[in-house]
Amino acid sequence: MRLAVLGDVHGNAFALRAVLDDIRAASPDQVLNLGDTVWGCADPASAWALQQQFAPPSVRGNTDERVAGLRDGKETMRAWVRAQLPADVPVTLAALPTHLDTAGGEVRVAHGSPRSPWEDLMLTGTPGGHTRPARFRELRERLGGFRFDAGGRVCVVGHTHREMLTVVDGLTVVNAGPVSRQKDGLPLARWVQLTRCAGHWTAEFRRVPYDTQAAATWARAHGPAGAGDHDARWLTAGREP
């Protein structure tokens, strides 16, 4: 059994097309989408249409909650994103769960953590404003009862825009990395393939090149003042400006 897991599209249709092409070539049994679907400036309308057709969101992300009106703040960006999309998108995003189990309950997907799309599962903030890898006791708490001894095998999240993998008490914990808005200085679109063989799951991080200049040009030409240029610089540099 093979699962394709993508997330953090952030309205980037250019990166998403490249990822979907790579996923189609891999022919997985199921495609899962970790949310943060449309909050971005590189053609979010097309990004939403592609997701609806080929990779509907499985869980809601934190910026999906902003689009849905479940969280306040960033009103200018929210208004612009909503104007690009069909009128029913906020309701659709609001109705998504915070986590989803699949593959007979062996695999759980969430955006930030199973408890909240705003919570980092695999990273912990420090007093100096930096982050460190989460300790096992922190992971156990944030996993919200999803355990190896209860039938869980893999938990996959996004949100932090970093590829990560660890194992706690036999449970494999994966951060899939983002389709868009990378934070490591390498502007390649990301997704993860999970493969089950002989009762065990393996995770393969996949990276796909795409036309970052075309995405940046679209964002600058069509995005809201300030945000479009910010997104363009992020997309081409592979790190937040």
Side-chain angles (χ1 to χ4, degrees):
M1 185 177 189
R2 288 183 306 220
L3 307 178
V5 187
L6 62 90
D8 293 291
V9 174
H10 281 285
N12 187 342
F14 300 83
L16 179 60
R17 288 189 187 98
V19 164
L20 290 174
D21 285 346
D22 200 40
I23 288 174
R24 277 191 285 269
S27 299
D29 299 290
Q30 185 178 6
V31 180
L32 298 155
N33 184 337
L34 304 176
D36 272 12
T37 52
V38 291
W39 191 274
C41 300
D43 197 358
S46 294
W48 177 252
L50 287 167
Q51 287 171 91
Q52 285 293 94
Q53 185 174 2
F54 300 111
S58 308
V59 294
R60 69 176 183 267
N62 61 301
T63 63
D64 296 328
E65 292 198 347
R66 287 203 187 279
V67 175
L70 301 177
R71 285 286 183 115
D72 294 330
K74 302 191 176 182
E75 302 301 331
T76 300
M77 183 64 179
R78 172 165 39 208
W80 181 84
V81 170
R82 282 186 170 188
Q84 310 302 306
L85 302 169
D88 63 343
V89 172
V91 174
T92 299
L93 295 176
L96 292 169
T98 56
H99 71 264
L100 177 75
D101 294 339
T102 189
E106 293 188 5
V107 177
R108 175 167 290 185
V109 296
H111 179 71
S113 82
R115 301 192 305 186
S116 168
W118 296 84
E119 180 179 56
D120 294 351
L121 176 60
M122 301 182 70
L123 294 174
T124 297
T126 64
H130 301 291
T131 58
R132 60 165 173 78
R135 299 186 176 101
F136 281 178
R137 61 175 177 79
E138 294 169 326
L139 285 170
R140 293 185 190 105
E141 179 183 2
R142 295 169 192 171
L143 284 165
F146 187 64
R147 305 188 312 276
F148 184 83
D149 59 12
R153 295 295 183 268
V154 186
C155 182
V156 189
V157 296
H159 186 52
T160 61
H161 293 235
R162 294 175 174 88
E163 296 156 309
M164 302 179 70
L165 185 148
T166 192
V167 179
V168 54
D169 302 333
L171 182 74
T172 300
V173 185
V174 181
N175 193 302
V179 171
S180 185
R181 295 184 172 184
Q182 290 72 32
K183 289 190 174 181
D184 54 18
L186 191 63
L188 299 175
R190 321 293 171 92
W191 66 283
V192 158
Q193 179 170 278
L194 301 179
T195 303
R196 190 182 194 277
C197 184
H200 299 282
W201 289 92
T202 60
E204 179 187 356
F205 292 101
R206 303 287 292 257
R207 298 175 175 178
V208 188
Y210 75 98
D211 192 342
T212 57
Q213 290 297 333
T217 297
W218 202 102
R220 287 194 178 99
H222 302 283
D229 185 62
H230 180 273
D231 218 22
R233 287 182 284 126
W234 192 341
L235 298 178
T236 53
R239 63 169 65 89
E240 188 171 10

